[in-house]
Amino acid sequence: MTTVLVANRGEIARRIFRSARRMGLRTVAVYSDADVDAPFVGEADVALRLGPAPANDSYLSVERVVAAARDAGARLVHPGYGFLSEQADFAEAVAAAGMTFVGPPAAVLRLVGDKAQAKRAAAAAGIPIVPGYAGDDQRDEVFVASARTTGYPILLKPAAGGGGIGMQLVAEEGGLREALARARRAARAAFGDERVILERAIERPRHVEIQLLADTHGRTVALGDRDCSAQRRHQKVLEEAPSPAVSEALRERLCGASIALARAVGYTNAGTCEFILDEQGEFFFLEVNARLQVEHPVTELVWGVDLVEQQLRIAMGEHLAVEARPRGHAVEARVYAEDPASGFLPSTGRVAYLRWPAGIRVDSGIEQGSLVSGDYDPLLAKIVVHADDRAAAIAKLAAALEGSLILGTRTNVRFLRRLVAHPALAGGVVDTELIERTPELADPPPSPPSEAVGVGAAAQIAATYGSARPVDPWEALGGWRAGATRVATVILDGRPVRVEGTGPFRVEGRAIRRESEPHAWSVDGRPAVAIGEGDALWVEWDGETYELDASARERSVDALIGSEIAAPMPGLVLAIHARADQRVRRGDLVCVVEAMKMELRVEAPADGTIKKVLCAVGDHVRRGQRLAELEPA
């Protein structure tokens, strides 16, 4: 039996296992210590430990992954996306160990994986490219001169990788050198190569890509286009196929250009040519993604082709036998563990409650009880729908998002619901800057209404009573008197809430009852969900999710005026820019924290003096951990 090892994790590992099992292949998972209990580990026929949580010691270690594949007797090594998927050294090491890399040859990876070389190859194939600089001289002065020639605004991108990682938009020369430093740090951390390229920033562009399949016998096909214009921080959040911005004539040109480039560089297996469209409808080559894309399901649903199966068959030397035609429209929404209201900061926590919509394709890396750590990308799942036309697909996705619920960690589900309801999406006129121009899409939910607070308080009381011995009134919570209704008070969001009864309960005159399903409640007969996780109570009420603070912490005056500078997310301290006794102004940079492929500036919340720095470069910090003490002016 042929064995395939998946050198990845989460939802993409589970996705590849599904196709491999259907094909009768033996599956092998590799995992880090952070993922020992992750769903994908238990779904493989064999699971092998790589190492500790840091990706460099596990999923990014070529030596450890190849050793695991050899130990498992794997014939095929599928890299998924991210991690080692576009690393030529990894493809070479797999081949040297006598196994087959499920992707293009190492030489092709080196060529198209380097944005500078890929742009030169595209230009040689007659494909328009965005003006800019992609040379070997990486001195700041060269970029300053090139930016002046190209004209602002400009984009800086890592030369050795894609996925939007490390991209920096620079509006004027004064911000260029700092942006170069940020881009190089991100490129070095993500790809081990700090080289960057410069491109002119196209105003309000559309992001369109072409799906390619190419076998080792000379056949290359294009399976239509996808629109990936809905992006935040240069990373995609919603994709659809086909693109509403592409006419049949333009589609033919894009597909023809993509096939020509693939043939010119000797491309094999699955890959994607990415383009941007300007406001006049002209297209420019961006890059080649030499792997399976996160958004591949929309192409699968429209074309009826299992792209993972085709990848595996091509890797096993089979002739490409795809004779498909497109049908209908598909849309995908990416569910991230992040807080849109806080600038899309990554979020962590335990998935205390999980509900997906029935009858909808959900490619998920989590289950109820899964732990979302800060070690890797925050993508949790993808909700994918298909319908006869675009309007029906969008309506179907809206209903699917309404039926999705994750409690225990902050997610972007509410943001996705609002994005799908936005008139620009309905009109098919989304560009890559829409989300940035429309900050209200990321607004937090309103203050929790009394019904949400009431059911949260009742759930807190029920959990407390459930853990106490009911026969002993002296150990009961709250006031108790023989023959009287039990009354208790809990603190939620810093204010007291009075709860009557032991179930059913009454709060502010409302009848609150626990239902038969776990964590299901009703308020005056209307459904709700409530569950505690750590110091938080998570409540779903009337289609909104609320996170209530149940810690009953005292709030000091110092905390209110910002005497502590805390980590807004768990992560690694990359740099410290402040020192003890230094005077700072509000907004001055104190330190830089990195997590889930994102660098975050931690800034002084007010004018004052730094009294102590409580962290060091290289420290792993928790969310809310104090990084420095500030004496406000």
Side-chain angles (χ1 to χ4, degrees):
M1 180 182 291
T2 299
T3 297
V4 56
L5 178 140
V6 177
N8 218 294
R9 62 180 298 276
E11 68 87 13
I12 188 57
R14 300 179 86 184
R15 164 70 190 91
I16 296 166
F17 290 155
R18 285 202 304 273
S19 290
R21 282 194 300 269
R22 187 172 50 76
M23 296 171 67
L25 305 180
R26 176 173 173 262
T27 57
V28 181
V30 289
Y31 63 90
S32 74
D33 290 346
D35 284 334
V36 63
D37 295 319
F40 79 92
V41 176
E43 292 179 356
D45 296 315
V46 177
L48 301 175
R49 176 184 179 271
L50 287 177
N56 286 332
D57 299 324
S58 51
Y59 298 108
L60 286 174
S61 172
V62 172
E63 180 180 346
R64 294 186 185 194
V65 174
V66 171
R70 188 187 298 112
D71 292 345
R75 174 186 167 189
L76 305 173
V77 177
H78 196 307
Y81 53 72
F83 290 132
L84 296 170
S85 62
E86 296 179 275
Q87 298 299 310
D89 291 347
F90 179 53
E92 280 182 340
V94 168
M99 297 171 287
T100 299
F101 177 77
V102 182
V108 175
L109 281 174
R110 281 203 173 87
L111 193 161
V112 301
D114 185 302
K115 284 190 174 68
Q117 291 192 65
K119 284 168 72 77
R120 288 193 285 269
I127 302 172
I129 62 173
V130 181
Y133 174 74
D136 294 330
D137 191 337
Q138 292 284 299
R139 290 176 299 159
D140 283 8
E141 290 73 17
V142 174
F143 283 92
V144 170
S146 298
R148 289 172 181 168
T149 301
T150 302
Y152 288 92
I154 58 98
L155 276 175
L156 300 174
K157 302 179 180 180
I165 299 169
M167 286 175 55
Q168 304 290 326
L169 177 65
V170 186
E172 56 187 9
E173 187 169 311
L176 179 58
R177 292 179 188 269
E178 183 180 348
L180 278 166
R182 288 197 303 270
R184 287 166 178 152
R185 276 200 307 269
R188 185 169 57 249
F191 310 113
D193 185 338
E194 69 175 19
R195 291 176 304 124
V196 297
I197 66 171
L198 179 152
E199 291 178 350
R200 188 182 76 207
I202 305 295
E203 299 290 340
R204 298 198 175 188
R206 300 292 293 254
H207 185 123
V208 176
E209 58 192 33
I210 302 297
Q211 175 67 59
L212 295 170
L213 285 174
D215 65 19
T216 56
H217 305 283
R219 186 181 182 206
T220 302
V221 299
L223 297 182
D225 59 284
R226 297 185 289 255
D227 196 303
C228 309
S229 300
Q231 301 179 10
R232 53 88 177 111
R233 297 203 313 262
H234 306 298
Q235 294 201 324
K236 305 161 188 173
V237 293
L238 188 144
E239 303 97 352
E240 58 181 306
S243 169
V246 175
S247 65
E248 283 301 322
L250 179 57
R251 186 169 291 116
E252 282 192 23
R253 292 173 61 202
L254 289 169
C255 289
S258 301
I259 291 172
L261 180 57
R263 288 174 175 164
V265 301
Y267 197 93
T268 58
N269 213 267
T272 303
C273 270
E274 300 203 350
F275 302 89
I276 55 174
L277 306 183
D278 65 17
E279 292 184 286
Q280 287 71 47
E282 295 299 316
F283 71 88
F284 301 89
F285 171 80
L286 272 183
E287 62 185 359
V288 174
N289 278 310
R291 54 173 167 79
L292 193 68
Q293 291 281 83
V294 179
E295 57 272 20
H296 75 274
V298 292
T299 295
E300 292 184 322
L301 293 183
V302 167
W303 287 79
V305 174
D306 183 329
L307 291 175
V308 172
E309 177 184 348
Q310 296 305 317
Q311 284 190 291
L312 295 169
R313 292 192 182 282
I314 291 170
M316 290 188 286
E318 297 184 17
H319 286 265
L320 188 58
V322 172
E323 301 294 343
R325 292 190 177 277
R327 180 184 63 83
H329 202 93
V331 191
E332 170 185 294
R334 302 190 190 189
V335 179
Y336 286 103
E338 64 185 10
D339 183 4
S342 298
F344 297 96
L345 289 183
S347 182
T348 60
R350 188 178 71 91
V351 179
Y353 184 90
L354 179 63
R355 183 181 71 216
W356 294 123
I360 298 294
R361 175 171 173 175
V362 179
D363 289 6
S364 172
I366 57 170
E367 293 176 345
Q368 191 160 297
S370 293
L371 183 66
V372 180
S373 76
D375 296 298
Y376 312 113
D377 187 279
L379 180 65
L380 299 180
K382 303 176 304 194
I383 300 174
V384 200
V385 302
H386 179 266
D388 291 339
D389 57 50
R390 186 172 185 272
I394 291 172
K396 194 172 183 179
L397 179 60
L401 288 166
E402 290 297 330
S404 301
L405 179 61
I406 303 172
L407 301 180
T409 186
R410 296 174 187 176
T411 73
N412 68 334
V413 169
R414 183 177 192 272
F415 162 81
L416 289 171
R417 292 172 181 168
R418 302 186 84 175
L419 176 61
V420 169
H422 194 277
L425 189 73
V429 291
V430 175
D431 62 74
T432 62
E433 300 164 8
L434 171 71
I435 293 173
E436 185 177 346
R437 288 197 312 273
T438 321
E440 60 269 23
L441 291 173
D443 283 350
S447 298
S450 58
E451 294 93 340
V453 174
V455 76
Q460 183 85 323
I461 294 294
T464 304
Y465 284 149
S467 63
R469 290 178 292 168
V471 298
D472 187 351
W474 307 111
E475 293 189 6
L477 178 71
W480 176 88
R481 189 169 59 212
T485 300
R486 194 185 320 233
V487 177
T489 299
V490 296
I491 306 297
L492 291 180
D493 281 356
R495 64 186 183 90
V497 183
R498 189 172 184 268
V499 182
E500 300 176 12
T502 58
F505 302 92
R506 293 195 73 81
V507 180
E508 296 184 1
R510 291 185 172 86
I512 300 177
R513 183 184 300 273
R514 197 206 308 248
E515 302 299 324
S516 57
E517 294 294 320
H519 316 303
W521 292 78
S522 65
V523 182
D524 291 339
R526 295 177 59 191
V529 178
I531 186 169
E533 179 61 26
D535 285 339
L537 263 166
W538 294 81
V539 175
E540 186 214 24
W541 167 255
D542 197 25
E544 286 283 8
T545 298
Y546 302 96
E547 181 185 358
L548 307 175
D549 183 2
S551 63
R553 288 188 295 261
E554 294 183 4
R555 302 185 180 185
S556 68
V557 173
D558 282 348
L560 291 175
I561 62 175
S563 64
E564 294 180 356
I565 300 174
M569 64 182 181
L572 178 72
V573 178
L574 290 183
I576 296 174
H577 294 265
R579 63 183 186 279
D581 299 323
Q582 177 182 339
R583 291 188 61 81
V584 293
R585 298 187 64 84
R586 185 182 184 207
D588 283 354
L589 183 61
V590 175
C591 60
V592 178
V593 176
E594 185 272 337
M596 293 180 172
K597 300 182 180 180
M598 176 183 176
E599 281 190 20
L600 182 75
R601 291 169 55 93
V602 180
E603 300 173 347
D607 296 353
T609 302
I610 299 292
K611 301 307 291 181
K612 290 182 182 178
V613 175
L614 304 173
C615 61
V617 173
D619 282 357
H620 288 272
V621 295
R622 306 179 308 277
R623 180 175 182 164
Q625 181 174 330
R626 293 190 306 157
L627 304 179
E629 289 184 0
L630 173 71
E631 182 179 274

